[in-house]
Structures are given as structure tokens and as C-alpha cells.
Amino acid sequence: MTTSSANLSWQDIQKYVMTQIRAGSWKPGDAIPNEADLARDLGCARTTVNRALRELAAEGLLERKRKAGTRVAKYPTRRAKLHIPLIRDEITESGREYRYQRLAFEPEVAPVNLPDALKGCPRIAYVEALHFANDEPFVHEARWINTVAVPAKDHNEFADISANEWLVRNAPFTEGTLEFFASDVPADVATHLQCAPGSAVFNAKRQTRAQTQLVTVVVLSYAPGYRKLLAL
Amino acid sequence: MTTSSANLSWQDIQKYVMTQIRAGSWKPGDAIPNEADLARDLGCARTTVNRALRELAAEGLLERKRKAGTRVAKYPTRRAKLHIPLIRDEITESGREYRYQRLAFEPEVAPVNLPDALKGCPRIAYVEALHFANDEPFVHEARWINTVAVPAKDHNEFADISANEWLVRNAPFTEGTLEFFASDVPADVATHLQCAPGSAVFNAKRQTRAQTQLVTVVVLSYAPGYRKLLAL
DNA sequence: CAGTGGTCTAGACCACTCC
DNA sequence: GAGTGGTCTAGACCACTGT
């Protein structure tokens, strides 16, 4: 193990660790050797071992604590990386043609029927839109924008460009939350998605804030049959 | 900027970069200074700058290419990290009591109505179970296990322990896929979840493989009202 | 070809935390 | 107190890729 001439990469170290775990040499809950020992035994710098183990810990496979050392996670669940693409990209990458249609725009919406997060925002704009894939309704978008945080400029009121694309370019955000849920399709949305009333639809609700200030809330309702794929 | 006496951490560098982006000094699509320049200007080692930028790139905020340099992503969408907890933990962490009930177990299931991924597996076991939160049905689990890849041992046929918990301990996996989707609740599942037939339910389907060998396929159907939360 | 990021090394100091 | 991971530094070489 120490006899290799070429330097070991941090990915080699990861492979080594994964092999031990998969083979059962290191079981969930077990402590594994410390960085210094691993570096000496495998024949590389501790920095290299550190990077390998640090990233495995970030993925949920290992648990590390100073002084206590590194252990195989009791339940080594891999964390999934969720890439949230632009709707445009999600459609074009599957080889279909993208089209955007604005359904409604209100520069200042009355403070009724608002998502909770928007309570207390003095000025809110509302945009409703449809995204098509090959001229079939793909997803319905309902969006509220805090126009105090994001002054509306010459954005043509999102007639031709998705509010999402405009926002992501003009208000790069720092934090947010995302939630997925299923629901019966609301009556008005059913019309736009051209699906039967009462169909089960997949929804994503996203809140975005810059610093502490809420920027936008958006609810996406996907046409029936949609599946959100993730890699583990 | 160069006058600080204490060493800058890689997180300081990230903050600096984020500040430039948020302030609009570096816009989506713009090139930013190279690592060597940043290190000199900010007063730290290039290694430190590298780690800061590398991780921002992994999060989707920057795009990096050798020779071409580093740019702010045209659409700086943050990647979400999706932590997939054990169902037991998901329930107990919200302060509720967890209970598991096996509904059915077939050590060797007839090869009909199988998910596509299982075609060609010679021996497949099937487990069906319910997970309760405070004695209310929380999620219904339908699971197929490739018993060639995972020899069933003394696991009591999952009467008392979730197949997931057993598998994650005894067959740490390497890869897999995950998909989320909405559907009308199947009639038999509706009974178990104690919800109205035709309710919209949130589903997660997961496939796990060790090396190239399929280990398990599981479909989770959550009781109506469930929301999957993620942090961005 | 030459500029840029990707990585490894060796050494050092520090921060946390278990004992 | 002492062991462990967390991080920074300075320097080096390499791999990729735009020009």
C-alpha cells in the first residue's frame, strides 16, 4: 500500500475509504484511523487525506469530531445534490422547444390571499405565467415580488421574459427555502395546464431572500406526470 | 484590504466574493480576477483562495475553466443539498413518536407488476410497511429487494425493523437515483394512509445499486399534506 | 504556447473536546 | 492536558484549454 511511486490523489483516498466500508472492514458506527495515520500508511500528505475525508463527511458518509476522531456514519445516507435549473434549460435540455407566456401582471397587488412570508411587505407585485414544452403546458408559475427589495426597472413587466430569469440575473440571492408538495390542481390552474380538475399535481414553492429581506415567493405547479429527478 | 494582520480564512474570501456579486461589482457572466491576483490583493495564500472559489463553483455560483478563468455564473442558481433522513429521524426530530408496522412480506415475489428496474433480477423479495407519527399514518412504503445482491440473513423479515434501516447498515450503497412525483393515491394505499380515495399524495421513488448491481427499489407515498423541505 | 485552475507536499498553529 | 480535525502558508508541478 505504501509502495506506489506516483502520488495518491484525494479521490484515491476516497476510493480506499469507500472500499473499506463496502467490504465491511469499517462498519457503520466504527472509528477509522486518524488523518495522520492514514497519511503515513497510505503514503501521502495529511492535507490530501483531510480533503478526502472532509468531503465524504459533507456527503454524509462519515462523521468527524475533533479529538473524537472520524467514524463511519451510523446510517451512511448519501446526500443528494439538487440542481435547480431554469425552467427554460430543463425543457431545452430534454430536446423540447421552450415557450413562455405571461398570463397576468399586477404591479401592486392587494394584500389578500398572500403567502404568509409576504405579510408586512408594503409593496408587492404579482406575476402569473405559463411555461410550455413543445407547445404543451409544462408548468404554471405564480410569483410575488417584493418591489421594495427589487425595484422594477425596464423589465417590460415580464411580458416576454420569465421573472425568474430576470431576478436571478438582477438580484443574485444569498439564501432561501424550497419545498415540494403534492396537491389537487386549483381550478384556474387546471385550465391553464389543460388537465382534469382534481388532478394531482407536483408543486415547488420557493422563497428567496437577500440578506434578511424577502425578495420573491414563487409557486410552480407542474403538469400531471411530472417527475423531479435527482442523483444520489 | 491588504492591511489586515490576522490571516484571512477561506470563508472570508467567500464573503468577499459574494459581496462583490451582490453589490453588482461582478455581474453574472463577468470574469473575476484569477486566483493568484486575488491572493495577492487580499493578502492570503492561493490555496485559500482556491478552496473558497472551488466551493462556490460547486454550489453553482461561479463557473471555472482552466486558462479561461473564473466567471460569475450567468444564472447563479444555488444548488440545494438534500438531506434524506431516515423516516424514523424525520419523525422523531419533529418531536413526534415513531412507530413501524409491517404490512406484508414475500420472500420471493412473482415477477409481475414490478418496477422496470427489477426486470431480469432472478430473486426478488417484497416488503410493504407503514410508518406512523404519533399513531397517525405518515408514509406508506413499498419495497423490492434483490435478494441475490443482499442475502437475507437473520433480519426477522422486517417484522420489527424498517427494511431501510436494515439495508443502510448492512449494504452501504454507492449510487442511486431518486425521483419525486405527485399522484392520486392508489386504492389500497389510501386505506392504509386513512385518506380519501383520489387524494393527491407526494411520492418518492428511490433506486439503490452497489457497484452495478441493483440492491433495492422503494416507493414512499406520504400522507396528504406532506411537504418536503429543503434549504438553499 | 502560455495562462489558468487543480492538486500535492511539508510544516505549522489553532480550536475543539474528550478524558 | 492531550489527541484530533480544521485550516493557512509557501512552493511546486501538472492538466487543460484558449489563442
Side-chain angles (χ1 to χ4, degrees):
Chain A
M1 202 55 77
T2 17
T3 50
S4 164
S5 55
N7 283 340
L8 290 170
S9 70
W10 61 271
Q11 287 140 335
D12 293 331
I13 311 297
Q14 287 198 338
K15 276 179 206 150
Y16 173 77
V17 172
M18 305 267 292
T19 304
Q20 302 301 314
I21 296 177
R22 242 183 274 132
S25 314
W26 298 344
K27 294 189 193 309
D30 284 0
I32 78 172
N34 66 36
E35 295 187 347
D37 287 352
L38 273 177
R40 182 172 34 71
D41 295 350
L42 298 175
C44 66
R46 182 166 80 93
T47 320
T48 308
V49 175
N50 179 275
R51 177 163 182 192
L53 300 189
R54 188 195 339 127
E55 304 206 344
L56 286 179
E59 284 177 12
L61 229 66
L62 301 176
E63 288 170 357
R64 323 190 75 198
K65 250 192 302 193
R66 281 157 161 154
K67 165 84 179 181
T70 302
R71 296 176 169 277
V72 180
K74 281 176 71 177
Y75 294 100
T77 316
R78 271 245 169 139
R79 259 152 226 160
K81 273 168 200 154
L82 177 54
H83 180 213
I84 303 147
L86 292 178
I87 294 167
R88 173 197 298 279
D89 292 341
E90 189 171 3
I91 290 172
T92 57
E93 277 167 19
S94 70
R96 289 172 292 179
E97 194 188 345
Y98 175 76
R99 186 162 62 82
Y100 169 83
Q101 179 191 358
R102 191 190 69 183
L103 298 173
F105 175 74
E106 299 177 35
E108 190 148 0
V109 73
V112 289
N113 281 341
L114 291 183
D116 286 347
L118 292 162
K119 301 285 164 62
C121 290
R123 283 191 12 227
I124 297 163
Y126 176 75
V127 189
E128 194 178 338
L130 263 184
H131 304 260
F132 294 85
N134 281 353
D135 284 328
E136 289 177 11
F138 181 76
V139 61
H140 174 271
E141 168 180 352
R143 180 185 293 271
W144 295 262
I145 300 169
N146 179 355
T147 51
V148 175
V150 188
K153 304 195 304 181
D154 52 336
H155 48 56
N156 197 22
E157 286 148 359
F158 309 116
D160 302 319
I161 181 184
S162 151
N164 186 38
E165 296 185 18
W166 187 86
L167 279 166
V168 84
R169 281 180 160 277
N170 294 78
F173 61 86
T174 43
E175 292 183 25
T177 60
L178 175 63
E179 53 189 83
F180 295 136
F181 59 98
S183 74
D184 290 330
V185 61
D188 54 324
V189 176
T191 312
H192 291 122
L193 290 179
Q194 296 169 20
C195 65
S199 303
V201 292
F202 181 86
N203 305 276
K205 177 176 177 178
R206 192 143 115 225
Q207 288 180 25
T208 302
R209 49 184 76 240
Q211 329 277 31
T212 58
Q213 203 172 30
L214 184 69
V215 172
T216 185
V217 175
V218 58
V219 177
L220 299 173
S221 300
Y222 290 84
Y226 177 79
R227 287 167 173 249
K228 185 101 211 153
L229 304 176
L230 302 91
L232 283 182
Chain B
M1 202 59 75
T2 18
T3 49
S4 164
S5 55
N7 283 341
L8 289 170
S9 70
W10 61 272
Q11 296 164 23
D12 292 331
I13 312 296
Q14 287 200 338
K15 277 179 205 149
Y16 172 77
V17 172
M18 306 267 291
T19 304
Q20 301 301 314
I21 295 176
R22 241 182 274 131
S25 314
W26 298 344
K27 295 189 194 308
D30 283 359
I32 78 172
N34 67 35
E35 295 187 347
D37 287 351
L38 273 177
R40 182 174 33 73
D41 295 349
L42 299 175
C44 66
R46 181 166 80 95
T47 320
T48 308
V49 174
N50 179 275
R51 176 161 183 194
L53 300 190
R54 183 188 354 117
E55 304 206 344
L56 286 180
E59 286 177 9
L61 230 68
L62 301 177
E63 289 171 355
R64 323 190 73 196
K65 252 190 304 193
R66 282 157 159 151
K67 166 82 178 182
T70 302
R71 298 178 168 276
V72 180
K74 281 176 70 176
Y75 295 99
T77 316
R78 272 247 174 140
R79 256 154 228 159
K81 271 171 197 154
L82 177 53
H83 180 214
I84 302 148
L86 292 179
I87 294 166
R88 174 197 297 280
D89 292 342
E90 190 171 2
I91 289 172
T92 57
E93 277 167 18
S94 69
R96 289 172 293 178
E97 194 187 344
Y98 174 76
R99 186 162 63 83
Y100 169 82
Q101 180 192 357
R102 191 190 67 182
L103 298 173
F105 176 72
E106 299 176 36
E108 189 149 359
V109 73
V112 290
N113 281 340
L114 292 182
D116 287 346
L118 293 161
K119 301 285 164 65
C121 290
R123 283 189 14 226
I124 297 163
Y126 175 75
V127 190
E128 193 178 337
L130 262 184
H131 303 261
F132 293 85
N134 281 353
D135 284 328
E136 289 178 10
F138 181 76
V139 62
H140 174 273
E141 168 180 353
R143 181 185 293 270
W144 294 263
I145 301 170
N146 179 356
T147 53
V148 175
V150 189
K153 304 196 304 182
D154 54 338
H155 50 55
N156 196 22
E157 287 149 356
F158 311 116
D160 302 319
I161 180 182
S162 153
N164 186 38
E165 296 185 18
W166 186 85
L167 279 165
V168 84
R169 280 180 159 280
N170 294 78
F173 61 87
T174 44
E175 293 184 22
T177 60
L178 175 63
E179 52 188 84
F180 294 137
F181 59 98
S183 74
D184 290 330
V185 63
D188 54 325
V189 176
T191 313
H192 291 122
L193 290 179
Q194 296 170 20
C195 64
S199 303
V201 292
F202 182 85
N203 304 275
K205 176 176 178 179
R206 193 143 115 222
Q207 288 180 25
T208 302
R209 46 184 79 241
Q211 329 278 32
T212 59
Q213 202 171 31
L214 184 68
V215 172
T216 185
V217 176
V218 58
V219 177
L220 299 172
S221 299
Y222 290 85
Y226 176 80
R227 287 168 173 248
K228 185 103 209 146
L229 303 177
L230 301 93
L232 284 183

